[in-house]
Amino acid sequence: MYVLRPHVCTCALLCSGTEWASYNLGLFLCELCAQVHRSLGSHISKVKSLRLDKWDAAQIEVDTDATVET
């Protein structure tokens, strides 16, 4: 069982090869975290490849009012 906690994949911040994102949660993910997020199900985290998948405007829209807590 996975417990969802608001966080940023810190390994994705440190890795130069980050190629995944959860577009409904607004997170960039490393490959390992992307696998975990995919296993949670698309009703929780919607994961796409940054390079291989097609993105529409709604999926890449940035919420300028959002704040990130560290």
Side-chain angles (χ1 to χ4, degrees):
M1 179 176 169
Y2 295 104
V3 177
L4 289 179
R5 295 184 182 126
H7 74 286
V8 174
C9 171
T10 54
C11 48
L13 295 174
L14 301 173
C15 296
S16 61
T18 301
E19 295 189 13
W20 299 93
S22 173
Y23 63 89
N24 66 316
L25 298 178
L27 299 173
F28 290 101
L29 304 167
C30 68
E31 185 174 353
L32 179 62
C33 289
Q35 292 174 3
V36 171
H37 277 255
R38 282 187 181 269
S39 72
L40 296 173
S42 61
H43 63 289
I44 295 175
S45 184
K46 299 181 183 202
V47 177
K48 281 190 163 193
S49 168
L50 297 177
R51 295 183 337 158
L52 301 175
D53 291 318
K54 294 188 183 228
W55 291 74
D56 61 38
Q59 293 169 334
I60 60 174
E61 186 176 312
V62 176
D63 183 359
T64 57
D65 294 330
T67 58
V68 177
E69 294 182 26
T70 56

